[in-house]
Amino acid sequence: MADSSGKRDYYEVLGVDRGAGDDAIKKAYRTLAKKYHPDLNPNDPAAEAKFKEVNDAYSVLSDPDKRAAYDRYGHAAFDGSMGGGGAGGAGTGFGGFGGFGDFGDLGDIFGSFFGGGFGGASARRNAPQRGDDIGASVRISFEEAASGVKKDISFNRVSVCPDCRGTGSADGRVEKCQACGGTGQKKIIQRLGGMQFQSTATCDSCRGTGKTIKDPCQTCRGSGLVRQSKKLTVDIPAGIDDGNRLVLRGEGNGGVNGGEAGDLILEVSVAKHAIFTREGTTLFCEVPITVADAILGAEVDIPTLEGNRKYKIPEGTQNGTRFTIRGSGLPGVNSKRRGDLVFTVNVEIPKSLNMKQKDLVRKFAEACGDSNYSKRSGFIRKIFGK
């Protein structure tokens, strides 16, 4: 899942959860790096891009400081043009014209010309920030999808530290950074062609937060956030289909500076049924019948999600004929209206007949003659013109 920057979540890239240890991260990295290494995938730009993405993810998640910054700020922690600087990198403080950030020092210089907003990046960083959305999955049976079900799920999330309530301070005291005066930025004097320019960069002392904590919380190590495993009972509505997603508001990662929590995106996987398939709210199945049933007509048992029901098959029914039972399909999500059940009859031809049975079939065929087989007669006429 990509965030607003367009980059995929680093944990998703490596295929590990947010509570994964160093060994799990290293193992996942080695597996993927080998899989997408350019030497093993010559002339494959997609593999090369994957290899770079895997390396970028590992470079952050294998470093405790960078990982902590990423857990707190996401990709913005390393995006200087957005005032992130969370991993100690320089930020331009150049809000509305971020494109100049690609030109290194010139980006800082142009930023000062256009009012890059000394302290503007810090203001954004210190403002309430919504937590990241996270993903989870749950598997249910076909019947559970039809009727709806409550399921217990477990997932890992980053939440506001319960001990310091998100302040990062053991005693609750957060002071203004003395090095930058609480702006989160430091002034840089640069000379170019005999001219002097002033630009800004992220404060090294507070890493751009504008705050200092003398007694960091031991639980969250001053980050204000902790990883936790959470269990939740989810109400899955009737009619949900395979691959549908449920959005659980506020169950994602905790926000920063009092920001609201992100959402949990729950992907539902529905197991296949032994008899039924579905398209939307319509159910489909095949029902085998005998030759006698097809010729004479019969009342046969038709499976439904509520059990078998009787259905009258008319005489002369052809193989492959479809019948519809209205309202015996699936309900729509959050709707009481149900779809239909469509079943196709499959006329089964008997095998391994004994001599007596074969003789009876021959007599039956002779008694019927060609007049009872309109399709066969028409086919012969088309071939022989008779």
Side-chain angles (χ1 to χ4, degrees):
M1 185 182 301
D3 64 6
S4 58
S5 72
K7 297 179 180 179
R8 281 207 303 156
D9 180 81
Y10 281 154
Y11 290 97
E12 180 182 338
V13 170
L14 295 184
V16 298
D17 60 48
R18 289 185 171 269
D22 294 340
D23 290 341
I25 289 174
K26 183 180 294 185
K27 181 179 180 181
Y29 165 71
R30 288 177 174 173
T31 300
L32 293 172
K34 182 178 180 180
K35 179 179 179 181
Y36 296 115
H37 197 284
D39 291 344
L40 300 178
N41 300 273
N43 304 319
D44 186 352
E48 185 175 349
K50 285 278 190 182
F51 182 73
K52 182 180 183 302
E53 185 181 42
V54 168
N55 276 281
D56 289 344
Y58 182 68
S59 68
V60 171
L61 300 187
S62 62
D63 183 301
D65 291 336
K66 290 182 180 180
R67 182 175 180 179
Y70 177 73
D71 286 343
R72 186 167 186 178
Y73 299 111
H75 290 293
F78 314 105
D79 185 357
S81 64
M82 293 298 291
T92 63
F94 196 58
F97 300 87
F100 285 113
D102 294 337
F103 294 95
D105 291 338
L106 288 179
D108 292 333
I109 296 171
F110 283 121
S112 62
F113 277 130
F114 285 97
F118 183 69
S122 176
R124 288 194 299 272
R125 187 181 293 107
N126 291 331
Q129 298 178 37
R130 182 180 181 275
D132 291 335
D133 294 342
I134 60 175
S137 62
V138 62
R139 185 171 179 82
I140 62 175
S141 69
F142 197 94
E143 290 81 1
E144 289 173 334
S147 62
V149 66
K150 292 184 182 293
K151 281 286 184 179
D152 293 331
I153 63 171
S154 297
F155 57 96
N156 295 314
R157 68 192 293 259
V158 176
S159 61
V160 174
C161 177
D163 291 343
C164 68
R165 298 182 180 180
T167 65
S169 173
D171 56 10
R173 296 175 58 189
V174 180
E175 300 177 357
K176 181 170 64 176
C177 176
Q178 297 301 311
C180 65
T183 64
Q185 302 284 299
K186 64 181 180 180
K187 295 180 180 180
I188 298 177
I189 306 299
Q190 298 171 311
R191 296 182 182 276
L192 184 64
M195 298 180 66
Q196 179 174 297
F197 299 96
Q198 177 178 296
S199 61
T200 62
T202 302
C203 175
D204 296 326
S205 298
C206 65
R207 293 185 176 181
T209 65
K211 302 173 182 178
T212 57
I213 299 172
K214 292 185 177 180
D215 185 14
C217 172
Q218 295 301 307
T219 302
C220 65
R221 298 181 181 179
S223 70
L225 299 170
V226 292
R227 295 188 185 89
Q228 66 169 188
S229 178
K230 184 172 182 178
K231 293 183 178 179
L232 197 65
T233 300
V234 181
D235 191 0
I236 300 176
I240 198 162
D241 205 349
D242 183 59
N244 284 172
R245 293 178 173 183
L246 300 176
V247 179
L248 306 179
R249 303 295 181 189
E251 296 295 344
N253 287 343
V256 178
N257 299 326
E260 64 179 4
D263 301 330
L264 172 64
I265 313 299
L266 182 66
E267 183 167 345
V268 180
S269 173
V270 180
K272 292 183 178 181
H273 196 274
I275 297 175
F276 299 113
T277 58
R278 67 179 288 184
E279 290 182 11
T281 59
T282 304
L283 278 178
F284 297 89
C285 72
E286 286 192 359
V287 177
I289 62 174
T290 68
V291 174
D293 290 340
I295 295 173
L296 303 176
E299 191 175 62
V300 298
D301 287 326
I302 305 300
T304 73
L305 291 172
E306 290 77 31
N308 293 343
R309 62 174 293 178
K310 298 293 184 180
Y311 192 92
K312 177 64 177 179
I313 302 293
E315 65 178 65
T317 293
Q318 301 298 307
N319 182 56
T321 302
R322 302 177 97 186
F323 298 92
T324 300
I325 302 178
R326 301 294 180 187
S328 288
L330 293 163
V333 176
N334 300 321
S335 171
K336 294 182 179 180
R337 186 175 180 179
R338 297 187 60 166
D340 302 327
L341 169 62
V342 178
F343 68 92
T344 304
V345 295
N346 186 350
V347 181
E348 186 175 5
I349 306 300
K351 298 179 180 179
S352 304
L353 299 179
N354 58 37
M355 293 304 295
K356 181 178 180 180
Q357 291 167 334
K358 290 179 180 179
D359 186 52
L360 289 173
V361 172
R362 290 189 189 97
K363 291 180 180 179
F364 170 76
E366 292 171 359
C368 286
D370 291 339
S371 61
N372 282 294
Y373 298 97
S374 58
K375 289 184 179 180
R376 183 175 183 275
S377 298
F379 180 72
I380 292 175
R381 283 195 300 271
K382 290 178 181 179
I383 295 176
F384 300 103
K386 296 181 181 181

PDB file of all heavy atoms in Angstrom, residues 356-377:
ATOM      1  N   LYS A 356     -29.095 -56.786 -21.404  1.00  0.00           N
ATOM      2  CA  LYS A 356     -30.534 -56.540 -21.322  1.00  0.00           C
ATOM      3  C   LYS A 356     -30.837 -55.049 -21.399  1.00  0.00           C
ATOM      4  O   LYS A 356     -31.784 -54.622 -22.100  1.00  0.00           O
ATOM      5  CB  LYS A 356     -31.073 -57.129 -20.016  1.00  0.00           C
ATOM      6  CG  LYS A 356     -32.571 -56.954 -19.855  1.00  0.00           C
ATOM      7  CD  LYS A 356     -33.053 -57.600 -18.556  1.00  0.00           C
ATOM      8  CE  LYS A 356     -34.567 -57.417 -18.407  1.00  0.00           C
ATOM      9  NZ  LYS A 356     -35.079 -58.032 -17.154  1.00  0.00           N
ATOM     10  N   GLN A 357     -30.050 -54.273 -20.683  1.00  0.00           N
ATOM     11  CA  GLN A 357     -30.263 -52.828 -20.690  1.00  0.00           C
ATOM     12  C   GLN A 357     -30.006 -52.241 -22.075  1.00  0.00           C
ATOM     13  O   GLN A 357     -30.742 -51.363 -22.550  1.00  0.00           O
ATOM     14  CB  GLN A 357     -29.351 -52.171 -19.646  1.00  0.00           C
ATOM     15  CG  GLN A 357     -29.734 -52.494 -18.213  1.00  0.00           C
ATOM     16  CD  GLN A 357     -28.652 -52.104 -17.221  1.00  0.00           C
ATOM     17  OE1 GLN A 357     -27.465 -52.049 -17.559  1.00  0.00           O
ATOM     18  NE2 GLN A 357     -29.066 -51.871 -15.968  1.00  0.00           N
ATOM     19  N   LYS A 358     -28.961 -52.724 -22.753  1.00  0.00           N
ATOM     20  CA  LYS A 358     -28.658 -52.234 -24.091  1.00  0.00           C
ATOM     21  C   LYS A 358     -29.774 -52.589 -25.074  1.00  0.00           C
ATOM     22  O   LYS A 358     -30.119 -51.790 -25.962  1.00  0.00           O
ATOM     23  CB  LYS A 358     -27.335 -52.820 -24.570  1.00  0.00           C
ATOM     24  CG  LYS A 358     -26.120 -52.283 -23.844  1.00  0.00           C
ATOM     25  CD  LYS A 358     -24.826 -52.942 -24.350  1.00  0.00           C
ATOM     26  CE  LYS A 358     -23.618 -52.392 -23.603  1.00  0.00           C
ATOM     27  NZ  LYS A 358     -22.355 -53.030 -24.065  1.00  0.00           N
ATOM     28  N   ASP A 359     -30.321 -53.769 -24.922  1.00  0.00           N
ATOM     29  CA  ASP A 359     -31.405 -54.201 -25.808  1.00  0.00           C
ATOM     30  C   ASP A 359     -32.624 -53.302 -25.627  1.00  0.00           C
ATOM     31  O   ASP A 359     -33.296 -52.930 -26.601  1.00  0.00           O
ATOM     32  CB  ASP A 359     -31.756 -55.662 -25.521  1.00  0.00           C
ATOM     33  CG  ASP A 359     -32.774 -56.224 -26.503  1.00  0.00           C
ATOM     34  OD1 ASP A 359     -32.545 -56.094 -27.726  1.00  0.00           O
ATOM     35  OD2 ASP A 359     -33.799 -56.772 -26.054  1.00  0.00           O
ATOM     36  N   LEU A 360     -32.903 -52.944 -24.391  1.00  0.00           N
ATOM     37  CA  LEU A 360     -34.031 -52.052 -24.114  1.00  0.00           C
ATOM     38  C   LEU A 360     -33.804 -50.669 -24.727  1.00  0.00           C
ATOM     39  O   LEU A 360     -34.748 -50.053 -25.242  1.00  0.00           O
ATOM     40  CB  LEU A 360     -34.247 -51.932 -22.596  1.00  0.00           C
ATOM     41  CG  LEU A 360     -34.801 -53.175 -21.889  1.00  0.00           C
ATOM     42  CD1 LEU A 360     -34.787 -52.972 -20.374  1.00  0.00           C
ATOM     43  CD2 LEU A 360     -36.228 -53.473 -22.376  1.00  0.00           C
ATOM     44  N   VAL A 361     -32.568 -50.199 -24.677  1.00  0.00           N
ATOM     45  CA  VAL A 361     -32.254 -48.893 -25.259  1.00  0.00           C
ATOM     46  C   VAL A 361     -32.444 -48.927 -26.774  1.00  0.00           C
ATOM     47  O   VAL A 361     -32.974 -47.983 -27.383  1.00  0.00           O
ATOM     48  CB  VAL A 361     -30.813 -48.457 -24.897  1.00  0.00           C
ATOM     49  CG1 VAL A 361     -30.427 -47.201 -25.666  1.00  0.00           C
ATOM     50  CG2 VAL A 361     -30.687 -48.219 -23.402  1.00  0.00           C
ATOM     51  N   ARG A 362     -32.044 -50.036 -27.418  1.00  0.00           N
ATOM     52  CA  ARG A 362     -32.209 -50.165 -28.874  1.00  0.00           C
ATOM     53  C   ARG A 362     -33.698 -50.150 -29.233  1.00  0.00           C
ATOM     54  O   ARG A 362     -34.120 -49.500 -30.201  1.00  0.00           O
ATOM     55  CB  ARG A 362     -31.568 -51.463 -29.357  1.00  0.00           C
ATOM     56  CG  ARG A 362     -30.055 -51.477 -29.284  1.00  0.00           C
ATOM     57  CD  ARG A 362     -29.486 -52.706 -29.991  1.00  0.00           C
ATOM     58  NE  ARG A 362     -28.050 -52.825 -29.746  1.00  0.00           N
ATOM     59  CZ  ARG A 362     -27.500 -53.591 -28.828  1.00  0.00           C
ATOM     60  NH1 ARG A 362     -28.293 -54.325 -28.024  1.00  0.00           N
ATOM     61  NH2 ARG A 362     -26.195 -53.641 -28.666  1.00  0.00           N
ATOM     62  N   LYS A 363     -34.475 -50.872 -28.478  1.00  0.00           N
ATOM     63  CA  LYS A 363     -35.916 -50.902 -28.736  1.00  0.00           C
ATOM     64  C   LYS A 363     -36.520 -49.514 -28.527  1.00  0.00           C
ATOM     65  O   LYS A 363     -37.422 -49.098 -29.276  1.00  0.00           O
ATOM     66  CB  LYS A 363     -36.586 -51.913 -27.820  1.00  0.00           C
ATOM     67  CG  LYS A 363     -36.232 -53.367 -28.145  1.00  0.00           C
ATOM     68  CD  LYS A 363     -36.923 -54.334 -27.192  1.00  0.00           C
ATOM     69  CE  LYS A 363     -36.555 -55.784 -27.548  1.00  0.00           C
ATOM     70  NZ  LYS A 363     -37.207 -56.756 -26.624  1.00  0.00           N
ATOM     71  N   PHE A 364     -36.049 -48.799 -27.517  1.00  0.00           N
ATOM     72  CA  PHE A 364     -36.532 -47.440 -27.246  1.00  0.00           C
ATOM     73  C   PHE A 364     -36.191 -46.525 -28.414  1.00  0.00           C
ATOM     74  O   PHE A 364     -37.031 -45.736 -28.881  1.00  0.00           O
ATOM     75  CB  PHE A 364     -35.900 -46.918 -25.947  1.00  0.00           C
ATOM     76  CG  PHE A 364     -36.143 -45.469 -25.700  1.00  0.00           C
ATOM     77  CD1 PHE A 364     -37.375 -45.024 -25.250  1.00  0.00           C
ATOM     78  CD2 PHE A 364     -35.140 -44.529 -25.929  1.00  0.00           C
ATOM     79  CE1 PHE A 364     -37.608 -43.676 -25.019  1.00  0.00           C
ATOM     80  CE2 PHE A 364     -35.365 -43.186 -25.699  1.00  0.00           C
ATOM     81  CZ  PHE A 364     -36.604 -42.748 -25.242  1.00  0.00           C
ATOM     82  N   ALA A 365     -34.963 -46.643 -28.942  1.00  0.00           N
ATOM     83  CA  ALA A 365     -34.539 -45.797 -30.058  1.00  0.00           C
ATOM     84  C   ALA A 365     -35.361 -46.086 -31.304  1.00  0.00           C
ATOM     85  O   ALA A 365     -35.756 -45.166 -32.034  1.00  0.00           O
ATOM     86  CB  ALA A 365     -33.054 -46.015 -30.334  1.00  0.00           C
ATOM     87  N   GLU A 366     -35.620 -47.374 -31.561  1.00  0.00           N
ATOM     88  CA  GLU A 366     -36.421 -47.743 -32.712  1.00  0.00           C
ATOM     89  C   GLU A 366     -37.844 -47.224 -32.582  1.00  0.00           C
ATOM     90  O   GLU A 366     -38.462 -46.785 -33.559  1.00  0.00           O
ATOM     91  CB  GLU A 366     -36.434 -49.262 -32.877  1.00  0.00           C
ATOM     92  CG  GLU A 366     -35.088 -49.848 -33.284  1.00  0.00           C
ATOM     93  CD  GLU A 366     -35.083 -51.366 -33.219  1.00  0.00           C
ATOM     94  OE1 GLU A 366     -36.128 -51.952 -32.842  1.00  0.00           O
ATOM     95  OE2 GLU A 366     -34.037 -51.980 -33.541  1.00  0.00           O
ATOM     96  N   ALA A 367     -38.362 -47.260 -31.358  1.00  0.00           N
ATOM     97  CA  ALA A 367     -39.730 -46.806 -31.131  1.00  0.00           C
ATOM     98  C   ALA A 367     -39.856 -45.290 -31.302  1.00  0.00           C
ATOM     99  O   ALA A 367     -40.885 -44.790 -31.758  1.00  0.00           O
ATOM    100  CB  ALA A 367     -40.191 -47.218 -29.735  1.00  0.00           C
ATOM    101  N   CYS A 368     -38.799 -44.554 -30.953  1.00  0.00           N
ATOM    102  CA  CYS A 368     -38.836 -43.088 -31.061  1.00  0.00           C
ATOM    103  C   CYS A 368     -38.761 -42.637 -32.513  1.00  0.00           C
ATOM    104  O   CYS A 368     -39.463 -41.718 -32.941  1.00  0.00           O
ATOM    105  CB  CYS A 368     -37.689 -42.477 -30.273  1.00  0.00           C
ATOM    106  SG  CYS A 368     -37.919 -42.539 -28.492  1.00  0.00           S
ATOM    107  N   GLY A 369     -37.903 -43.268 -33.312  1.00  0.00           N
ATOM    108  CA  GLY A 369     -37.699 -42.832 -34.684  1.00  0.00           C
ATOM    109  C   GLY A 369     -37.023 -41.471 -34.742  1.00  0.00           C
ATOM    110  O   GLY A 369     -36.656 -40.879 -33.723  1.00  0.00           O
ATOM    111  N   ASP A 370     -36.879 -40.936 -35.962  1.00  0.00           N
ATOM    112  CA  ASP A 370     -36.193 -39.640 -36.119  1.00  0.00           C
ATOM    113  C   ASP A 370     -37.079 -38.454 -35.781  1.00  0.00           C
ATOM    114  O   ASP A 370     -36.592 -37.355 -35.527  1.00  0.00           O
ATOM    115  CB  ASP A 370     -35.708 -39.507 -37.571  1.00  0.00           C
ATOM    116  CG  ASP A 370     -34.572 -40.472 -37.880  1.00  0.00           C
ATOM    117  OD1 ASP A 370     -33.905 -40.922 -36.912  1.00  0.00           O
ATOM    118  OD2 ASP A 370     -34.342 -40.764 -39.069  1.00  0.00           O
ATOM    119  N   SER A 371     -38.398 -38.649 -35.799  1.00  0.00           N
ATOM    120  CA  SER A 371     -39.309 -37.510 -35.600  1.00  0.00           C
ATOM    121  C   SER A 371     -39.177 -36.881 -34.218  1.00  0.00           C
ATOM    122  O   SER A 371     -39.547 -35.725 -34.023  1.00  0.00           O
ATOM    123  CB  SER A 371     -40.752 -37.965 -35.827  1.00  0.00           C
ATOM    124  OG  SER A 371     -41.109 -38.984 -34.890  1.00  0.00           O
ATOM    125  N   ASN A 372     -38.681 -37.630 -33.264  1.00  0.00           N
ATOM    126  CA  ASN A 372     -38.527 -37.103 -31.901  1.00  0.00           C
ATOM    127  C   ASN A 372     -37.199 -36.372 -31.687  1.00  0.00           C
ATOM    128  O   ASN A 372     -36.936 -35.900 -30.584  1.00  0.00           O
ATOM    129  CB  ASN A 372     -38.649 -38.246 -30.887  1.00  0.00           C
ATOM    130  CG  ASN A 372     -40.091 -38.655 -30.651  1.00  0.00           C
ATOM    131  OD1 ASN A 372     -40.879 -37.892 -30.115  1.00  0.00           O
ATOM    132  ND2 ASN A 372     -40.437 -39.855 -31.103  1.00  0.00           N
ATOM    133  N   TYR A 373     -36.378 -36.321 -32.740  1.00  0.00           N
ATOM    134  CA  TYR A 373     -35.073 -35.676 -32.612  1.00  0.00           C
ATOM    135  C   TYR A 373     -34.968 -34.548 -33.643  1.00  0.00           C
ATOM    136  O   TYR A 373     -34.368 -34.706 -34.708  1.00  0.00           O
ATOM    137  CB  TYR A 373     -33.946 -36.699 -32.820  1.00  0.00           C
ATOM    138  CG  TYR A 373     -33.937 -37.814 -31.793  1.00  0.00           C
ATOM    139  CD1 TYR A 373     -34.528 -39.044 -32.080  1.00  0.00           C
ATOM    140  CD2 TYR A 373     -33.358 -37.626 -30.543  1.00  0.00           C
ATOM    141  CE1 TYR A 373     -34.536 -40.054 -31.154  1.00  0.00           C
ATOM    142  CE2 TYR A 373     -33.362 -38.637 -29.609  1.00  0.00           C
ATOM    143  CZ  TYR A 373     -33.957 -39.861 -29.906  1.00  0.00           C
ATOM    144  OH  TYR A 373     -33.964 -40.868 -28.979  1.00  0.00           O
ATOM    145  N   SER A 374     -35.582 -33.428 -33.348  1.00  0.00           N
ATOM    146  CA  SER A 374     -35.665 -32.329 -34.308  1.00  0.00           C
ATOM    147  C   SER A 374     -34.297 -31.741 -34.639  1.00  0.00           C
ATOM    148  O   SER A 374     -34.011 -31.408 -35.793  1.00  0.00           O
ATOM    149  CB  SER A 374     -36.587 -31.229 -33.774  1.00  0.00           C
ATOM    150  OG  SER A 374     -36.103 -30.754 -32.515  1.00  0.00           O
ATOM    151  N   LYS A 375     -33.432 -31.624 -33.652  1.00  0.00           N
ATOM    152  CA  LYS A 375     -32.100 -31.058 -33.902  1.00  0.00           C
ATOM    153  C   LYS A 375     -31.283 -31.985 -34.795  1.00  0.00           C
ATOM    154  O   LYS A 375     -30.603 -31.540 -35.718  1.00  0.00           O
ATOM    155  CB  LYS A 375     -31.359 -30.817 -32.585  1.00  0.00           C
ATOM    156  CG  LYS A 375     -31.915 -29.669 -31.772  1.00  0.00           C
ATOM    157  CD  LYS A 375     -31.073 -29.429 -30.527  1.00  0.00           C
ATOM    158  CE  LYS A 375     -31.619 -28.253 -29.719  1.00  0.00           C
ATOM    159  NZ  LYS A 375     -30.815 -28.005 -28.489  1.00  0.00           N
ATOM    160  N   ARG A 376     -31.354 -33.293 -34.514  1.00  0.00           N
ATOM    161  CA  ARG A 376     -30.602 -34.269 -35.314  1.00  0.00           C
ATOM    162  C   ARG A 376     -31.117 -34.292 -36.743  1.00  0.00           C
ATOM    163  O   ARG A 376     -30.329 -34.316 -37.708  1.00  0.00           O
ATOM    164  CB  ARG A 376     -30.703 -35.651 -34.678  1.00  0.00           C
ATOM    165  CG  ARG A 376     -29.891 -36.735 -35.402  1.00  0.00           C
ATOM    166  CD  ARG A 376     -29.953 -38.037 -34.623  1.00  0.00           C
ATOM    167  NE  ARG A 376     -29.138 -39.069 -35.256  1.00  0.00           N
ATOM    168  CZ  ARG A 376     -29.578 -39.850 -36.248  1.00  0.00           C
ATOM    169  NH1 ARG A 376     -30.834 -39.710 -36.705  1.00  0.00           N
ATOM    170  NH2 ARG A 376     -28.795 -40.769 -36.786  1.00  0.00           N
ATOM    171  N   SER A 377     -32.438 -34.273 -36.890  1.00  0.00           N
ATOM    172  CA  SER A 377     -33.027 -34.299 -38.230  1.00  0.00           C
ATOM    173  C   SER A 377     -32.641 -33.058 -39.022  1.00  0.00           C
ATOM    174  O   SER A 377     -32.304 -33.119 -40.207  1.00  0.00           O
ATOM    175  CB  SER A 377     -34.555 -34.405 -38.127  1.00  0.00           C
ATOM    176  OG  SER A 377     -34.934 -35.605 -37.481  1.00  0.00           O
TER     177      SER A 377
END
